Amino acid sequence: MLDRAALALNDRAETLSGALPALLVEAQRIAATVIIGVHGRKRAGPGETFWQYRPYSFGDTAQQIDWHRSARSDRVFIRENEWEAANTLWLWVSPSVTMGFQSHLASVTKSDRAKLLALAIASLAVRANERVSLLGTGMLPAHSRPALMRLAQMLIAQPSTQALPHVIRLPKFSTVLMFGDFLEPPQDIARSLSSIAAHGVAGHVVQVSDPAEETLPYSGRVQFEEMAGPLRYVAGKTEALREAYQEKFQAQRAQVRDIARRIGWSFAVHRTDEPPLRILHALHGLIGGEKSRARGARTF
C-alpha cells in the first residue's frame, strides 16, 4: 500500500511539474566554489566526468589534446569534461498533526498539498541534474529519477509529530525550501529557522493554510477540538469570534513573515483551495534565480 501511495504522489507531482522548464537551483557565488560537486551541468567545464571529444581548434593547448583518441583518427581531438558544481536543494514538509486539517472548503489536506508541491519541485530539480534531499532524514542528496520514488516514500511514511527541524549545518551552496502551516510559537520557529540560516544557507518558507483557517466561515454553535491535544471549546455564536480570530491568525502569519525577512529568506502563502501550479511557478522563479536573492527576502 505504501509503494502504491508513493507512486500516486509521484505521478501527480510529475504531472504538475511537467508544465515548467527544468529547474536550475541558483547557487550563490557558484563560480567561486572550490570543491567540485558530484553532478554535472550538461556543459563543458571543470570537473572529472567525461563530457565529449571535439576537434582541436586555435587557442587550445597541447595539454588538452587526448592523444589516444587522436591516434585513432587523422584529426587531433580535445577531451572535454563536464562542468560540475556543488549545489543541493533541501526540502522539508512539516510533520505536525495540524497539517492533516481539511475543511469543507478544500479538496485536500494541508499535508497532502505540501507533499505534492515538495515532490514537484524535486522533480524539476532532478531534471536539471540538481541534487535533492529531505531535511533531517539522513537521505544522501541524489539527482536521479529513482531518488524521486525514495522522496515520495519518505513523505508518505512521515510520522506526525510536533517537531520543527533541529539545528542542522548544511553545506555551502545549499538551498532550503520549507512547507508547513507554521502555527507553532513564533519563538520556536525563529530558533529553528535561524539555526539553519546561520551558515549562509539560502531559504524559502511556504505557509500552507486551509481557507477555513483564514476566514472562520462557521456560524452558530460549533465545537472546536484541538488536533494535537485534548482541548475542546464550544462557541455559542461562532460568527461573533470571527474578527478577533482573524486578527490573531494574521498576527501569527506576520510574525513568521518577519522571521523569514530577518534571516534573508523569502516567504509565501499557499491556500489549499488554490491551484498548486501558481505557487509552483513562483517558487520556480525564486529558486531558479529569476528573482535574485541579493534583493533580500520576498513575500508573495
Side-chain angles (χ1 to χ4, degrees):
M1 287 295 294
L2 180 59
D3 286 345
R4 186 177 300 174
L7 279 170
L9 177 61
N10 185 63
D11 288 345
R12 288 160 54 208
E14 286 284 344
T15 300
L16 179 59
S17 64
L20 296 174
L23 176 67
L24 283 174
V25 179
E26 179 190 19
Q28 202 170 30
R29 295 177 288 111
I30 196 66
T33 186
V34 175
I35 302 175
I36 300 300
V38 298
H39 73 288
R41 293 299 188 107
K42 300 303 178 186
R43 75 183 212 193
E48 298 179 355
T49 304
F50 171 72
W51 172 238
Q52 65 181 2
Y53 291 113
R54 64 170 176 80
Y56 176 88
S57 62
F58 178 78
D60 292 327
T61 65
Q63 288 78 11
Q64 294 175 281
I65 298 175
D66 189 294
W67 297 107
H68 291 286
R69 174 65 180 85
S70 301
R72 301 196 302 269
S73 174
D74 57 356
R75 304 178 67 184
V76 177
F77 286 93
I78 299 296
R79 177 188 176 93
E80 291 186 326
N81 288 341
E82 184 180 358
W83 179 53
E84 296 174 332
N87 205 1
T88 305
L89 175 63
W90 299 85
L91 300 166
W92 181 80
V93 175
S94 172
S96 172
V97 293
T98 59
M99 289 290 287
F101 179 69
Q102 177 186 348
S103 73
H104 65 288
L105 299 177
S107 60
V108 295
T109 66
K110 294 183 288 183
S111 180
D112 284 346
R113 177 57 57 82
K115 291 174 181 177
L116 173 63
L117 290 171
L119 196 57
I121 285 290
S123 177
L124 289 169
V126 166
R127 292 182 194 179
N129 294 291
E130 298 293 349
R131 293 177 295 176
V132 295
S133 182
L134 285 177
L135 201 64
T137 63
M139 174 183 173
L140 291 176
H143 56 94
S144 63
R145 303 307 289 181
L148 291 178
M149 178 55 65
R150 294 199 298 274
L151 287 171
Q153 289 173 329
M154 287 183 175
L155 288 170
I156 291 294
Q158 181 174 253
S160 295
T161 69
Q162 289 289 357
L164 286 160
H166 297 297
V167 177
I168 300 173
R169 181 158 187 167
L170 299 176
K172 289 181 65 176
F173 308 120
S174 292
T175 297
V176 174
L177 176 56
M178 304 180 70
F179 295 94
D181 53 19
F182 295 100
L183 298 178
E184 296 85 0
Q187 63 270 22
D188 294 342
I189 298 173
R191 188 180 308 112
S192 175
L193 271 59
S194 297
S195 69
I196 299 173
H199 303 288
V201 174
H204 309 279
V205 174
V206 180
Q207 185 180 43
V208 182
S209 63
D210 186 281
E213 291 178 316
E214 295 189 355
T215 60
L216 195 68
Y218 309 111
S219 59
R221 183 181 175 87
V222 177
Q223 176 173 291
F224 296 92
E225 299 181 359
E226 183 185 15
M227 296 185 67
L231 296 181
R232 294 185 180 183
Y233 174 74
V234 178
K237 193 176 182 182
T238 307
E239 59 270 27
L241 305 175
R242 186 170 297 129
E243 183 176 351
Y245 168 84
Q246 290 176 346
E247 289 180 359
K248 188 164 184 64
F249 184 88
Q250 292 301 325
Q252 172 77 11
R253 172 169 292 170
Q255 291 186 75
V256 179
R257 181 187 295 111
D258 289 342
I259 291 169
R261 182 181 292 114
R262 287 198 302 269
I263 62 177
W265 288 13
S266 74
F267 175 82
V269 173
H270 175 70
R271 285 183 17 166
T272 51
D273 62 338
E274 297 174 338
L277 194 57
R278 177 178 176 272
I279 185 68
L280 192 60
H281 269 292
L283 291 172
H284 175 263
L286 280 171
I287 302 174
E290 293 173 12
K291 300 185 179 81
S292 172
R293 287 198 297 270
R295 299 180 184 177
R298 287 175 174 265
T299 302
F300 56 96

